Amino acid sequence: RELDLLFTVRTDDVEHHKGQVSFPGGSIEAVDDSLQATALRETQEELALKNDHIEVFGRIDDLWTPTGFIVTPFVGYVDELPVLTPHPKEVSDFFTVPLAYFLDDNNGYTKEYSRDGERMDVWFYDYEQYTIWGVTAYILRNFMLIVKDEI
């Protein structure tokens, strides 16, 4: 059985990273008793994917972004993806990509960017009409290194 990764496309109404491809997720709120609870709540808010559909496998390395965020990624598994309902203010689209696509190093590339005088290589993946880059691509890259060590 082929595994797929789930992505969202942010609307132009959100505060940060408008129109960009991302994983479901967002900022911690007072109701969250852990970062994992934040990830699950945000996934439910953004896509109406209920927590009892998600088996959380664990957490991967935190990522500090050039824009000042700390991102804590969690990896979860959904046996059968139910009908998803994107939150109209937060998610303009969602899509899945086979995990195998990202395991092929030929499908990713880097571009050099400069931000506040600091130069960095930024990862990109193009899949169908979507461009996955920046923090999302970095999380993917890190996850692929973990997965490749296990297979």
Side-chain angles (χ1 to χ4, degrees), residues 6-10 20-24 46-47 91 93-94:
L6 176 64
F7 296 89
T8 62
V9 179
R10 299 169 61 80
Q20 292 184 14
V21 172
S22 67
F23 290 111
E46 292 178 3
L47 295 169
V91 177
D93 194 9
F94 65 89

Side-chain angles (χ1 to χ4, degrees), residues 101-109 123-125 141 148:
Y101 179 83
F102 299 108
L103 288 171
D104 181 346
D105 288 333
N106 294 315
N107 290 325
Y109 59 95
W123 276 94
F124 285 77
Y125 296 90
R141 195 76 189 144
K148 284 180 181 180

Side-chain angles (χ1 to χ4, degrees), residues 28-83:
I28 194 166
E29 294 183 1
V31 297
D32 300 328
D33 60 4
S34 68
L35 293 174
Q36 180 175 314
T38 299
L40 291 169
R41 176 187 51 75
E42 286 283 345
T43 301
Q44 184 165 336
E45 285 178 9
E46 292 178 3
L47 295 169
L49 181 55
K50 294 187 178 0
N51 296 350
D52 59 358
H53 283 100
I54 304 170
E55 179 183 353
V56 177
F57 285 161
R59 173 180 170 171
I60 57 177
D61 296 336
D62 287 351
L63 167 66
W64 285 261
T65 71
T67 53
F69 292 94
I70 299 173
V71 179
T72 303
F74 286 85
V75 177
Y77 175 76
V78 177
D79 186 45
E80 188 172 322
L81 199 60
V83 174

